[in-house]
Amino acid sequence: MSECLFCKIAAGEIPSSKVYEDEICYAFHDIDPQAPAHFLVIPKAHIGSVAEVNGDNAGVVGHIFTVIAKVCQELGLESYRVVSNIGEQAGQSVFHLHFHVLSGRDMTWPPG
Ligand code: 5GP
Ligand code: ZN
């Protein structure tokens, strides 16, 4: 989508701090980190949120989770939280599917 911020980041049209990249997904540091380690993993193809995951694109989500596990292992992150906000009430502000990966501090439950 031409006006989507994360489509532009995935395409390299807007600069970001890369953590990992392959042909399916892109991982980069969050611009406003909420933990000592905080990066986002996004599909390169536009999906609005988890609410748009279906039988045709679920493989992309599975791939993203294998990437999260691999990258966290390589970074030495043993405990971390993976979050995806869906909709404004849940805190979604960018409407391109992304998984937050947060680590490096104590976390509370339930989340706010
Ligand atoms: P959401 O609020 O949709 O769950 O998460 C969006 C995330 O994207 C936020 O944590 C926000 O800090 C991050 N973000 C927004 N704009 C940019 C940007 O231009 N670059 C980077 N690296 N992160 C961004
Ligand atoms: Zn997009």
Side-chain angles (χ1 to χ4, degrees):
M1 292 179 82
S2 58
E3 292 310 311
C4 173
L5 173 66
F6 283 0
C7 280
K8 290 180 178 175
I9 285 178
E13 295 168 11
I14 291 176
S16 62
S17 174
K18 181 164 86 173
V19 173
Y20 173 89
E21 181 174 18
D22 62 28
E23 65 281 3
I24 295 169
C25 69
Y26 183 66
F28 57 106
H29 291 107
D30 196 291
I31 203 167
D32 182 20
Q34 302 300 312
H38 183 181
F39 61 90
L40 306 171
V41 189
I42 65 174
K44 287 191 169 175
H46 184 88
I47 299 171
S49 77
V50 168
E52 293 183 11
V53 175
N54 56 42
D56 292 333
N57 60 24
V60 172
V61 177
H63 176 76
I64 284 174
F65 273 82
T66 67
V67 165
I68 290 171
K70 178 174 179 289
V71 169
C72 286
Q73 192 171 23
E74 288 174 358
L75 294 175
L77 304 178
E78 294 180 350
S79 184
Y80 51 90
R81 184 171 287 181
V82 180
V83 176
S84 193
N85 299 318
I86 297 100
E88 287 180 16
Q89 188 176 32
Q92 185 175 10
S93 61
V94 178
F95 291 83
H96 178 127
L97 177 65
H98 52 283
F99 294 93
H100 296 258
V101 181
L102 302 119
S103 184
R105 65 166 171 81
D106 293 340
M107 308 256 173
T108 58
W109 191 263

